[in-house]
Amino acid sequence: MTKEEKNAEKSKTMSLTNAEFLKFFFFPVLNKSFGFDNHQLNNEEDDRFIKHGFDKKLKEAKSARLYGRFFYFGISILIAVIVKYYSS
């Protein structure tokens, strides 16, 4: 096995970096809003992961998006409860 093949195999089993994980966590929604097209960003990253066979990274990116959606849902509920509590 050559060095290039070893590096290719190693990169297929690597996890997302913290920066990549946070990018998917904080921008989980696939839509265009506020002039920032994260739909295109997420699609490009997914296509790159699929093209190069980074199945582990693709799986982790999907779970990071799910965690991000839960995070924003929880923040929305928390804000609604606080507003309701202080408005009465």
Side-chain angles (χ1 to χ4, degrees), residues 6-50:
K6 287 181 184 178
N7 288 340
E9 194 64 34
K10 181 181 174 186
S11 64
K12 288 183 181 183
T13 59
M14 288 178 56
S15 296
L16 288 174
T17 63
N18 290 341
E20 288 174 328
F21 185 88
L22 290 175
K23 178 175 56 173
F24 290 116
F25 181 81
F26 286 114
F27 302 110
V29 182
L30 298 173
N31 65 4
K32 186 174 184 176
S33 58
F34 304 112
F36 181 70
D37 191 5
N38 65 326
H39 176 72
Q40 180 182 0
L41 172 81
N42 285 337
N43 281 341
E44 287 175 359
E45 287 295 313
D46 287 346
D47 291 342
R48 186 176 67 86
F49 292 157
I50 291 169

